[in-house]
Amino acid sequence: MKLSKTMLKATLAVLAGAALCLSFVSRAAAPIRVMILDGESGGTYHKWQLVTPVLKKELDETGLFQTDVVTAPPAGGDYSAFKPDFGKYQVIVWNYDAPDDRWPADLKASFEKYMQDGGGFVSVHAADNAFPNWTAFNEMIGVGGWRGRSEKSGPLWYYKDGKLVSDTTPGRSGSHGQRTPFQLTLREKHPITNGLPPMFMHQGDELYATLRGPGKNMTVLATAYSDPANSGTGRDEPMLMVLNYGKGRVFHTTLGHDVNALSSVDFVVTFQRGTEWAATGAVTQKVPASFPTANSVSYRSDIAVMDPGYKRGLNPLDAAAPAAPGR
């Protein structure tokens, strides 16, 4: 069939439009590149080898992320060839806790530049124990605990009378009671927390308290009451935070001690949304109907079974044992 010039022009216009639409769709569908950094923890109580596959599953199931795992050398390992290309990724998720002398100065400088230039950073649970004397890192996370932190590391931060306060009382940094379910309270509106209920329950986990740090450019999104009946402080302690460092964005969650805690639906949702926000500055994910309420926990059995100890019960917690020395 021979097309007239008019029909030919119209056909070409349609094809060009379709190609343009496909281009937009392709660009819109490009995955967010994520690095999960692991390789060390402060003790065997943090089983990072079990946690990383769970974090990867939770990100990959959204369809938004392309996730690579980068494992740092162990204590005593050779760091001369460990030069991760942070710039390839829109966000770096830390499931990693190492002492100050583990990273050479050039590696620390590389991560600082990545964040200054607009990178994304998600700190999960004990990642906020790492590098107590790396000034830039502690500005990124806002608050941290253990590894010798004290009043020299910065004030305590917690909510009192509905406001975030800093407290310069001397003392060590970092504490928690036994792992039991607890309730979180939202404190600020933010893309990560939009659509979440004002209060919700979290599956059994360590409730971090007495965290210290510079607290610069830090917004606390959610707190939890640290109950004195469970070796707590009697204060509303920060659980979810966002920060800015240079042009970079940071989402800091103190939740996620183990696979059991990671299976709590509130962790899954806030981690997925927090990672998207740290990478892009926006959140497109909806809140699932299974999200916990103010009085009921909600967990994912498909995640819980990723713990080899799952067959011994969903909650092999330490409620009947003394508070663990771990973090």
Side-chain angles (χ1 to χ4, degrees):
M1 181 178 67
K2 187 175 182 181
L3 295 175
S4 67
K5 289 184 178 180
T6 302
M7 291 177 65
L8 183 59
K9 287 180 179 179
T11 301
L12 291 174
V14 170
L15 291 173
L20 186 60
C21 288
L22 286 172
S23 174
F24 285 145
V25 169
S26 176
R27 276 181 280 175
I32 296 167
R33 299 221 42 201
V34 183
M35 174 200 294
I36 297 178
L37 175 68
D38 68 9
E40 188 171 352
S41 69
T44 56
Y45 39 79
H46 284 139
K47 297 179 173 62
W48 58 266
Q49 298 94 332
L50 298 181
V51 167
T52 289
V54 176
L55 297 178
K56 188 176 189 305
K57 171 183 171 63
E58 291 179 354
L59 294 178
D60 290 347
E61 71 182 19
T62 68
L64 294 174
F65 306 103
Q66 178 184 325
T67 311
D68 298 334
V69 175
V70 174
T71 300
D78 181 9
Y79 271 79
S80 62
F82 183 66
K83 300 182 185 298
D85 186 358
F86 297 119
K88 287 173 53 179
Y89 301 93
Q90 290 165 265
V91 58
I92 316 296
V93 174
W94 281 50
N95 175 32
Y96 184 69
D97 167 21
D100 281 310
D101 59 357
R102 187 71 72 239
W103 280 21
D106 62 336
L107 183 54
K108 291 179 179 178
S110 175
F111 189 68
E112 288 177 30
K113 184 177 188 305
Y114 165 78
M115 290 301 297
Q116 287 280 6
D117 291 346
F121 172 26
V122 175
S123 175
V124 177
H125 193 61
D128 69 16
N129 298 181
F131 301 112
N133 295 303
W134 179 5
T135 299
F137 178 80
N138 284 278
E139 289 184 4
M140 293 176 202
I141 61 173
V143 291
W146 294 277
R147 288 197 182 274
R149 286 179 172 86
S150 69
E151 66 275 7
K152 295 179 181 179
S153 306
L156 301 163
W157 293 88
Y158 52 85
Y159 255 72
K160 183 178 181 180
D161 299 326
K163 295 181 180 179
L164 181 65
V165 299
S166 60
D167 181 344
T168 57
T169 301
R172 295 187 302 172
S173 175
S175 63
H176 65 77
Q178 297 163 354
R179 288 177 291 155
T180 61
F182 53 83
Q183 186 183 72
L184 275 74
T185 299
L186 293 188
R187 297 295 183 176
E188 298 286 345
K189 293 182 178 179
H190 190 272
I192 295 172
T193 57
N194 283 349
L196 303 187
M199 294 184 290
F200 53 89
M201 291 296 295
H202 176 63
Q203 174 74 4
D205 203 347
E206 292 177 342
L207 195 164
Y208 273 10
T210 61
L211 298 181
R212 293 181 177 273
K216 293 181 180 180
N217 305 311
M218 180 175 73
T219 300
V220 174
L221 302 183
T223 62
Y225 179 66
S226 180
D227 191 346
N230 186 22
S231 305
T233 61
R235 300 191 294 250
D236 293 313
E237 301 284 354
M239 298 288 108
L240 306 177
M241 293 146 276
V242 290
L243 304 97
N244 292 104
Y245 181 83
K247 297 178 182 178
R249 288 177 295 268
V250 182
F251 172 60
H252 179 177
T253 174
T254 66
L255 308 176
H257 172 75
D258 57 9
V259 177
N260 179 67
L262 300 172
S263 71
S264 192
V265 171
D266 63 288
F267 176 86
V268 178
V269 171
T270 54
F271 172 60
Q272 291 169 336
R273 289 162 67 99
T275 302
E276 183 182 8
W277 175 82
T280 69
V283 174
T284 61
Q285 301 169 74
K286 304 300 182 184
V287 179
S290 59
F291 199 84
T293 68
N295 301 306
S296 300
V297 298
S298 177
Y299 73 92
R300 297 243 321 250
S301 59
D302 64 312
I303 294 173
V305 297
M306 295 177 72
D307 188 331
Y310 174 78
K311 61 182 64 177
R312 296 194 298 271
L314 176 63
N315 277 318
L317 305 185
D318 46 18
R327 303 186 286 277

